[in-house]
Amino acid sequence: MLLAVLQAGCLSELDSVEVVGECGPRDLTPECCLKQNPGQWERCTGSSEMARVAETAQRSASSGMKAVAGATAAVMGAAMRPQINSAERRGVALATDLLAKVEREIERCVRRADQKVNDYHFNGRSPSWEICQQVKVGERTTWAAYLGLFKHEESWPCLREALDKLLPERYLLHPRFQLDDVTGSWKFLKEQEVKELVSKYGWKGLWGTIEPDVVLMDAKGFIVHVYDLKFPCPKANDAQWERYRGGRWKDETQGRVYDDALQVKPRLVSPRQGVVRKE
């Protein structure tokens, strides 16, 4: 079990012998979850991407992974189903003052998560470039990827609390959308649909889908603002859109794909830069 967890990149601290058991007073929420649910990366972090890495590294236990279809496909204020803009119908952007408040809260939550995880691992310091490139767990997971994942996870509770107050029932956290190859249009995947895809095909069933971090909707459910959280490592680096390395969007950026799919210009958010407004 210990070897399997190490291979999957799910050990919360390499210098810890205990993998399964009680959570200590300094455990962050996702690390605590992984201790109690070894290998259940999607369930504990909401990251299907890292779950696919785990599946690749732990093929001998893939059947167990598939049984745990992630329970966090989309965290919502309510059950409003998002509608994607079209040439005929488009959403109404949030009022300027409300949008300013929402974006301030998103920035606050991102900076809070960044500081909290840095406090936990580095006594509040930002890791150096050298540390960011070092492998943290498994064979490929660097400190940069590891920290980014946990900083995302630490952002969700703060974002839920803030958006429940400012924009109840009109936001989604890390929702998933899929391109329909028959119609050529994008559709929102409900949590049950994501579970069924993972149960039937494994994590590869989610290839070709997109998962922006924060989606805001107008009163009718149309998507009007989209944000993606980035935690550059080291912190001095600018936030940048990642490029797809393969598949149908090879060499395209996340931002371009999100824009084409949701018909809304997405914004990056980082601890140092806040909401990035440059084109």
Side-chain angles (χ1 to χ4, degrees):
M1 175 63 76
L2 176 60
L3 177 59
V5 174
L6 279 169
Q7 288 176 334
C10 292
L11 185 60
S12 64
E13 286 296 325
L14 290 182
D15 59 358
S16 172
V17 177
E18 289 294 326
V19 179
V20 183
E22 296 297 323
C23 296
R26 296 183 66 244
D27 279 313
L28 297 177
T29 301
E31 294 178 310
C32 176
C33 178
L34 286 168
K35 281 185 179 181
Q36 296 178 329
N37 304 278
Q40 297 183 16
W41 197 267
E42 169 84 347
R43 173 180 174 181
C44 292
T45 67
S47 171
S48 58
E49 289 75 13
M50 294 302 292
R52 290 201 298 270
V53 171
E55 183 187 43
T56 299
Q58 195 183 5
R59 291 190 182 279
S60 62
S62 61
S63 60
M65 293 277 292
K66 292 177 184 179
V68 183
T72 53
V75 181
M76 309 184 200
M80 179 180 286
R81 188 180 183 89
Q83 299 187 62
I84 296 174
N85 295 290
S86 65
E88 297 78 23
R89 302 178 64 194
R90 300 191 67 83
V92 179
L94 300 187
T96 302
D97 57 342
L98 176 58
L99 180 61
K101 291 178 182 178
V102 168
E103 290 189 344
R104 281 198 297 271
E105 286 301 292
I106 294 175
E107 291 174 342
R108 180 182 66 82
C109 290
V110 165
R111 288 168 178 147
R112 177 179 178 274
D114 181 68
Q115 188 63 50
K116 184 174 181 179
V117 175
N118 284 345
D119 284 346
Y120 179 80
H121 287 291
F122 304 107
N123 295 319
R125 299 189 305 273
S126 179
S128 65
W129 184 90
E130 290 77 15
I131 291 176
C132 292
Q133 305 311 307
Q134 292 176 9
V135 173
K136 163 64 174 169
V137 287
E139 298 179 354
R140 294 180 293 177
T141 305
T142 62
W143 267 106
Y146 180 90
L147 291 170
L149 178 64
F150 282 102
K151 288 174 181 180
H152 272 82
E153 180 63 18
E154 284 300 310
S155 299
W156 307 138
C158 178
L159 288 168
R160 279 197 296 273
E161 182 179 8
L163 295 177
D164 276 345
K165 294 177 181 177
L166 291 173
L167 208 64
E169 303 182 7
R170 290 169 53 188
Y171 75 90
L172 301 170
L173 299 183
H174 53 88
R176 192 169 291 279
F177 299 85
Q178 182 182 54
L179 179 63
D180 187 321
D181 289 321
V182 176
T183 65
S185 60
W186 287 84
K187 65 176 182 178
F188 169 66
L189 292 178
K190 294 184 291 188
E191 181 178 338
Q192 185 57 38
E193 292 175 301
V194 174
K195 287 182 178 181
E196 290 172 359
L197 282 173
V198 175
S199 178
K200 186 174 182 179
Y201 301 109
W203 304 116
K204 63 179 178 290
L206 299 181
W207 291 354
T209 63
I210 62 171
E211 189 182 32
D213 287 325
V214 182
V215 166
L216 308 181
M217 297 172 286
D218 69 7
K220 295 182 179 180
F222 280 95
I223 297 171
V224 290
H225 301 283
V226 176
Y227 302 90
D228 215 53
L229 313 184
K230 299 294 182 184
F231 295 92
C233 192
K235 193 172 184 176
N237 287 355
D238 286 343
Q240 296 182 349
W241 291 109
E242 296 176 10
R243 289 189 178 272
Y244 290 91
R245 298 181 180 179
R248 71 175 75 198
W249 302 304
K250 187 175 186 296
D251 296 329
E252 290 278 9
T253 66
Q254 282 180 305
R256 176 66 179 273
V257 174
Y258 290 179
D259 193 349
D260 289 345
L262 305 178
Q263 296 298 300
V264 172
K265 183 173 181 58
R267 299 289 185 187
L268 292 171
V269 188
S270 77
R272 181 175 64 83
Q273 296 170 283
V275 176
V276 180
R277 305 200 176 278
K278 64 181 180 181
E279 299 297 326

